[in-house]
Amino acid sequence: MSEQIAEIGVLYAPFLGGMMVGCFLFGITISQTIIYFRNYKDDTLFLRALVGGALIVDTFHFVMVAEGVHNWYLFCKLPQNYAGLALFHWSLGASIIATYVITSMVQALYIMRVYMLSKNIWISIFIGTLSVAQLAFGLFLWEDLFVANSLTALHQTKGQIGGSVELAATTLCDIAISVALWWYLHKGRTGFASTEKMIDKLILYMVNLGLLTSVASLLTLILWLVMPSSFAFVSLTLIRSKLYCNAMLVTLNYRQTVRKAVQGNTSQQQQTSRYLQDLDGVEMDSKAAYRSRN
């Protein structure tokens, strides 16, 4: 019996690893959020609510993961609670839903930016469909785990289908966003040296941050498919919401750096106004940015 418990304990090791990395990333999220609310007081209510909402959901996710780790590493290690190790604990279910919500929120923001740059509704619909698919199949997986009330459901047919499609849709959505942003930013080059440098910086921040979440989702999918009998993929799943939050916050906080770079240069401001608008987003244009362009 003790050997069986030890084996189960090894399977749950990724939960602890994900929790530890998540603590570090959550601290960065807090600091980035503070920087945002201090520096962008003129942003519209929509954008400020989005940032505040993402922080609330991510905090909820952090608390739920902590409760899950407490349950498996302390409560269920008591002899009378060994059976709980294989159950689908409610805190894990809550953290899964929080992850899908944050992923959808951040992807929606990036999809709006893609539309602002491209003005192509079909590309935006295609990327949006991938985002909706990750949410739908993620909830499908959650429902399967909830009904079964057992983590073994992850290795059953329905669990494998739900998890595989969700991770594949998330990965493809992030890659499509990154490619679209790179393409339309690249097409907007004007030949002015100062504008070229600014666009290069936009590509560096906006595209590479999207690739970061893409790589994380892809690695999670690979671990999910290659090591189906283990929970190795969980360590990346637990930090996914924080990667998305920080990607969003870094791009939002970078707007001030871009504006300072073009401040005082009227011609450059005219050339870069559409990119500043993209950084602020649809219906998210800050009052300060609006005044600077009028």
Side-chain angles (χ1 to χ4, degrees), residues 14-291:
F15 286 91
L16 184 59
M19 172 67 179
M20 294 172 66
V21 177
C23 288
F24 172 75
L25 293 176
F26 184 64
I28 297 177
T29 300
I30 295 295
S31 63
Q32 287 287 334
T33 302
I34 293 173
I35 291 173
Y36 170 78
F37 280 109
R38 282 182 176 178
N39 295 336
Y40 296 95
K41 297 178 181 179
D42 285 332
D43 271 359
T44 60
L45 179 61
F46 176 85
L47 189 54
R48 291 168 66 83
L50 181 67
V51 173
L55 177 63
I56 291 173
V57 177
D58 196 38
T59 301
F60 174 77
H61 175 273
F62 179 80
V63 173
M64 291 299 99
V65 171
E67 169 55 27
V69 170
H70 165 265
N71 174 72
W72 288 308
Y73 282 89
L74 295 177
F75 182 76
C76 289
K77 289 302 181 68
L78 299 175
Q80 65 269 28
N81 300 322
Y82 283 162
L85 284 169
L87 298 180
F88 180 62
H89 194 252
W90 62 269
S91 61
L92 177 60
S95 69
I96 289 175
I97 292 178
T99 297
Y100 297 147
V101 170
I102 289 178
T103 301
S104 298
M105 290 170 65
V106 176
Q107 286 179 342
L109 178 66
Y110 277 93
I111 291 169
M112 291 182 201
R113 287 175 170 170
V114 169
Y115 179 73
M116 284 293 296
L117 276 177
S118 67
K119 303 301 181 184
N120 190 320
I121 188 63
W122 297 112
I123 291 178
S124 303
I125 290 176
F126 170 73
I127 300 175
T129 301
L130 292 174
S131 181
V132 171
Q134 73 85 22
L135 178 61
F137 279 92
L139 293 177
F140 172 82
L141 173 62
W142 172 85
E143 187 270 341
D144 185 48
L145 288 167
F146 180 79
V147 172
N149 193 30
S150 174
L151 291 173
T152 58
L154 288 171
H155 308 309
Q156 303 302 319
T157 301
K158 286 180 64 178
Q160 285 289 298
I161 292 175
S164 299
V165 176
E166 183 271 321
L167 289 171
T170 301
T171 304
L172 290 175
C173 182
D174 290 343
I175 291 176
I177 289 171
S178 298
V179 170
L181 288 174
W182 172 82
W183 174 252
Y184 287 106
L185 284 170
H186 184 73
K187 282 183 64 177
R189 295 182 182 277
T190 62
F192 293 94
S194 55
T195 306
E196 295 285 305
K197 291 181 180 179
M198 195 214 68
I199 293 177
D200 287 338
K201 290 181 179 180
L202 285 176
I203 292 174
L204 175 65
Y205 277 83
M206 296 179 68
V207 176
N208 286 357
L209 285 170
L211 288 176
L212 175 63
T213 57
S214 302
V215 170
S217 298
L218 180 60
L219 289 177
T220 306
L221 177 61
I222 292 173
L223 290 174
W224 170 273
L225 295 175
V226 175
M227 306 174 67
S229 60
S230 73
F231 291 137
F233 64 90
V234 170
S235 56
L236 289 173
T237 301
L238 294 181
I239 66 173
R240 194 171 95 182
S241 67
K242 284 147 188 65
L243 290 176
Y244 275 94
C245 272
N246 281 299
M248 176 183 70
L249 288 166
V250 167
T251 55
L252 290 176
N253 288 333
Y254 181 64
R255 292 174 299 165
Q256 191 174 69
T257 301
V258 175
R259 292 198 185 106
K260 286 181 179 179
V262 300
Q263 189 174 10
N265 189 326
T266 304
S267 62
Q268 186 174 340
Q269 286 177 352
Q270 292 174 346
Q271 292 292 336
T272 59
S273 61
R274 63 176 298 198
Y275 303 109
L276 289 174
Q277 184 179 12
D278 170 65
L279 282 171
D280 289 319
V282 180
E283 279 298 314
M284 296 176 274
D285 220 5
S286 71
K287 301 169 187 174
Y290 178 80
R291 289 195 297 266

